[in-house]
Amino acid sequence: MPDILNFDKFFLPVDTWISALVDWLVGNFRPQFQMIKWPVDITLTGIDSFLNWLPPIIILIFIVLFAWKFSGKAVAIFSLISFLLIGYMGLWSETMTTLAMVFSAVIFCIVVGIPLGIIASRSDGFAASIRPVLDTMQTTPAFVYLVPVVMLFSIGTVAGVIATIVFSMPPIIRLTNLGIRQVHPELIEAALAFGCTPKQVLLKVQVPLAMPTIMAGLNQTIMLSLSMVVIAALIGAGGLGVPVFQGLNSLQVGLAGIGGISIVLMAMVLDRITQSLGELGKR
Amino acid sequence: MDEKNAIVQVKNLYKIFGPNPERAFSLIEQGKGKAEVFEETGLTIGVKDASFEVYEGEVFVVMGLSGSGKSTLVRMLNRLIEPTSGHVFLEGKDIAEMPMEELIQIRRDKMCMVFQSFALMPHMTVLQNAAFGLEVSGKSVKEREERGMKALEQVGLGANAHNYPKELSGGMQQRVGLARGLAVDPTIMLMDEAFSALDPLIRTEMQDELLKLQEQTQRTVIFISHDLDEAMRIGDRIAMMEGGRIVQVGTPEEILKNPADEYVKAFFRGVDPTNVLYAGDIASDKFVTIVDHKGEGLRTALEKINRAERDYGYVLDRRHRFKGIVSIDSLKQVIDSGTEDAKLSKAFLDKVQTVKSSAHLQDALPFISDVPWPVPVVDEDNVYKGAISKNIFLTTLHRKAE
């Protein structure tokens, strides 16, 4: 047996390297990472306190009207029943916090993700180089990077949102890239022939035509962030994850159950509404 | 302005696809063809040494099979494809070398393009599409809606302004494409196989539409086509392309009469010459003409026709204007009836019709086939230009069909 395949003799201490890397980052760059928290903190706190300050009736009316306008009567009725149910189960405030976490995570995903997607669509090199990064972001088990997130950003809801942003950003980058690349080359040629600058081609032709695909990416991003905000309760984030983990820890199946039901209902409402936003873009 | 004012001049234009295109030039100089250059270097010759001029107000058709480089050629005129070398002068300025900002300005103000696949913006209404060029150049909403609407009305789509393109039929969509070009009021319209995606009936309709628009405003149109009938129909002049080269430039007639090589000849083989040739083109002046003056009598006329071994004579006045036809029989009849001093006009045949020399052969055909005598051809002033016999007509058909 060749010596080179002796896995006991040859061993890569990758685990030690990673620990060293994280320790080094924490030791030298913690203040910088704490600075990243600041905009997330402001956005999250703002949305959270606003949603919890608004009387539930206003939020209900808004959700129903929004759902009605974009997705029709059925979704509007479904949304009304879902949120009423959540309220009656006593999880209104947690739901608002989760909603705030999802919204802030999604806002950052849009602000960072769409420009990155646009850059990726214009440069094959960039697209190829971010692809493994996106794969890593999306597939690394959440529990694995919760630890370094805590070490760099400490615990709490803001750290939870940051973990959520990392986890849920890839789809919007990927689908923005895809949507823009799928715009028919003849249309771009036509835009150029009529004297569009590259910026005009992007804003007048590529982005509007990629909109349905970008909206599909947004939908995916929202769904992923919903699944992550619950896990984020592990590192002290508030919201609907809290009853779920309390229930699990104390074997209160009912408590975990209502937390789970609320998340599923909220996910379905958000999914239906954002999906019809995408359909709208298709005309 | 001079009628033959060259508005576009293309000089030694090359497009070679692939990395380091210089490698191809030395091989081209050695006289190597497209296939050989590709074999040796992996480079593809798109357009090879194209030089031609387009005159103001004409419809200039670039004609060739697919892969002949015609689409590449037209895209180098507005630099959607960068030329490898050579010059494209538009009103004296070299498009091939101008900086991007200047080029964008030219694309906005002077050129427009109509595409085979229409290339309408699906997220914009018909009106917004028609006004697209104006939107891009930053015109006010009011101005672009006005001008867009005017362009739509020109192509008969005023009523569909607020539809979306996909709600329209193919022919209507291409009218929007045409309106989008017209709205910017360009000096030059580039039309890349603009009507090729339409079914034949609609295609003919659109060709007529284009000709109608040309009657109203004489624009310079550079039209790419692989359809010879289309080229013949709308083209004032045609450039024939093969393998990236321009093999011949000329009026449809010139090319039909003197094809430069076998390729061009092969192209024209299937063409119905009656579409392309005019009555004046094939009229023969070898028939007997009799100028009607005092010294000319029935007998001298008869004598002339007999001596030429013909059956008919064409009577003209002193200014060679056509008066009528006499035949040996009609002359003899008048002479036999005893009125020897009668005027020639007594012997004129009935039901004689003339054909204008500018008439298409197609339109002249019924006259030629209906009567036994060769049909006289006259110009606008009724001046006799010759005559067309059935024999001449059939020979023409036969020769072109070879």
Side-chain angles (χ1 to χ4, degrees), chain A:
Chain A
M1 191 176 172
D3 211 31
I4 195 133
L5 282 179
N6 186 343
F7 291 141
D8 292 326
K9 190 173 171 191
F10 294 96
F11 174 71
L12 287 178
V14 179
D15 51 349
T16 329
W17 297 345
I18 292 175
S19 300
L21 174 72
V22 173
D23 284 344
W24 176 76
L25 281 176
V26 173
N28 294 290
F29 294 100
R30 199 155 195 272
Q32 282 83 345
F33 279 102
Q34 290 288 327
M35 263 171 60
I36 298 177
K37 271 175 82 173
W38 182 71
V40 180
D41 196 2
I42 295 202
T43 316
L44 176 68
T45 323
I47 299 177
D48 191 13
S49 30
F50 180 67
L51 288 180
N52 274 303
W53 168 80
L54 276 180
I57 181 72
I58 306 245
I59 292 176
L60 277 175
I61 290 173
F62 181 77
I63 290 174
V64 168
L65 286 181
F66 198 77
W68 197 322
K69 175 155 173 32
F70 292 109
S71 323
K73 208 160 146 188
V75 176
I77 293 170
F78 174 72
S79 309
L80 179 68
I81 294 173
S82 302
F83 275 84
L84 279 177
L85 197 61
I86 289 171
Y88 292 136
M89 289 191 298
L91 291 176
W92 183 266
S93 163
E94 283 84 353
T95 303
M96 287 306 111
T97 303
T98 298
L99 207 53
M101 288 172 73
V102 170
F103 281 166
S104 6
V106 167
I107 287 172
F108 283 96
C109 286
I110 292 173
V111 169
V112 180
I114 291 184
L116 284 179
I118 291 172
I119 298 172
S121 72
R122 321 198 107 193
S123 148
D124 287 338
F126 184 74
S129 58
I130 61 164
R131 230 181 117 180
V133 179
L134 297 181
D135 292 338
T136 314
M137 283 162 75
Q138 232 174 339
T139 52
T140 310
F143 299 100
V144 173
Y145 61 80
L146 281 182
V147 180
V149 163
V150 170
M151 290 169 81
L152 289 166
F153 298 102
S154 55
I155 59 162
T157 309
V158 178
V161 170
I162 289 176
T164 309
I165 293 172
V166 172
F167 183 66
S168 53
M169 197 185 299
I172 201 158
I173 299 180
R174 283 186 212 275
L175 286 162
T176 302
N177 174 26
L178 178 72
I180 290 182
R181 281 173 187 264
Q182 274 176 344
V183 171
H184 202 288
E186 284 265 356
L187 294 180
I188 294 170
E189 212 174 34
L192 288 173
F194 280 88
C196 277
T197 59
K199 194 175 144 196
Q200 283 176 319
V201 174
L202 182 69
L203 295 181
K204 287 187 193 295
V205 181
Q206 288 176 309
V207 171
L209 287 174
M211 227 15 159
T213 314
I214 296 177
M215 290 310 283
L218 180 68
N219 174 276
Q220 289 299 300
T221 288
I222 291 176
M223 293 297 105
L224 283 182
S225 67
L226 257 171
S227 66
M228 190 62 190
V229 280
V230 178
I231 296 169
L234 274 181
I235 57 167
L240 284 170
V242 177
V244 172
F245 279 104
Q246 271 176 4
L248 283 180
N249 285 336
S250 50
L251 284 178
Q252 286 176 280
V253 182
L255 183 61
I258 57 168
I261 291 171
S262 304
I263 290 163
V264 170
L265 290 176
M266 199 166 80
M268 286 166 80
V269 170
L270 290 179
D271 177 61
R272 301 298 178 275
I273 295 178
T274 48
Q275 248 177 26
S276 36
L277 283 181
E279 295 293 320
L280 204 71
K282 274 184 204 150
R283 288 231 201 283

Side-chain angles (χ1 to χ4, degrees), chain B residues 45-293:
Chain B
I45 298 177
V47 171
K48 183 170 150 190
D49 201 14
S51 298
F52 60 90
E53 290 185 340
V54 180
Y55 302 132
E56 193 165 355
E58 77 172 343
V59 178
F60 185 85
V61 180
V62 180
M63 169 80 224
L65 297 174
S66 59
S68 61
K70 53 197 195 306
S71 279
T72 308
L73 179 69
V74 74
R75 278 168 176 69
M76 285 198 282
L77 301 185
N78 63 358
R79 258 174 69 189
L80 285 177
I81 292 177
E82 289 287 337
T84 307
S85 76
H87 306 279
V88 178
F89 293 102
L90 171 65
E91 294 173 325
K93 278 190 191 165
D94 191 354
I95 289 182
E97 278 172 3
M98 67 179 46
M100 203 29 107
E101 301 82 64
E102 208 176 324
L103 176 65
I104 284 177
Q105 215 50 52
I106 292 228
R107 285 175 180 170
R108 285 177 179 178
D109 301 339
K110 306 235 163 177
M111 287 181 153
C112 73
M113 199 160 177
V114 183
F115 295 85
Q116 178 174 12
S117 64
F118 320 143
L120 300 175
M121 304 298 161
H123 60 297
M124 297 180 179
T125 63
V126 165
L127 178 59
Q128 284 169 331
N129 265 293
F132 182 74
L134 304 167
E135 182 189 337
V136 166
S137 59
K139 300 281 188 300
S140 72
V141 178
K142 189 167 166 277
E143 182 184 347
R144 64 199 201 217
E145 284 191 349
E146 269 174 24
R147 285 171 65 180
M149 201 64 206
K150 216 178 101 196
L152 283 177
E153 274 157 12
Q154 265 182 298
V155 298
L157 279 183
N160 299 86
H162 299 290
N163 286 102
Y164 281 91
K166 74 170 185 192
E167 296 162 3
L168 306 181
S169 68
M172 285 160 98
Q173 290 192 27
Q174 194 55 303
R175 280 168 197 265
V176 179
L178 205 53
R180 176 170 66 179
L182 293 172
V184 297
D185 195 17
T187 320
I188 292 181
M189 282 181 91
L190 305 174
M191 303 185 72
D192 181 23
E193 302 251 11
F195 305 146
S196 301
L198 305 171
D199 61 63
L201 219 69
I202 309 284
R203 194 184 311 160
T204 319
E205 199 183 302
M206 291 297 289
Q207 289 162 358
D208 292 342
E209 183 84 38
L210 181 69
L211 292 175
K212 204 180 85 197
L213 289 168
Q214 278 300 103
E215 259 169 44
Q216 293 162 9
T217 333
Q218 291 262 305
R219 276 175 214 285
T220 311
V221 178
I222 299 178
F223 197 106
I224 306 298
S225 182
H226 66 259
D227 176 357
L228 192 63
D229 288 329
E230 180 172 75
M232 294 282 167
R233 217 174 132 92
I234 61 175
D236 294 319
R237 286 192 310 142
I238 299 178
M240 301 290 301
M241 276 191 94
E242 186 213 356
R245 281 178 323 125
I246 292 190
V247 286
Q248 192 171 13
V249 181
T251 63
E253 227 183 288
E254 283 165 11
I255 297 182
L256 184 60
K257 283 184 183 158
N258 297 307
D261 60 14
E262 282 304 312
Y263 173 78
V264 179
K265 213 181 272 175
F267 229 112
F268 279 80
R269 203 159 279 153
V271 175
D272 176 2
T274 57
N275 268 331
V276 195
L277 290 178
Y278 298 100
D281 293 336
I282 63 165
S284 163
D285 54 3
K286 301 260 162 61
F287 296 101
V288 180
T289 54
I290 300 151
V291 178
D292 190 12
H293 59 94

Side-chain angles (χ1 to χ4, degrees), chain B residues 13-34:
Chain B
L13 202 60
Y14 281 90
K15 178 66 196 183
I16 290 151
F17 294 103
N20 303 325
E22 316 79 53
R23 291 180 291 147
F25 284 107
S26 54
L27 292 177
I28 291 173
E29 267 166 40
Q30 291 166 32
K32 301 220 164 141
K34 197 172 170 170

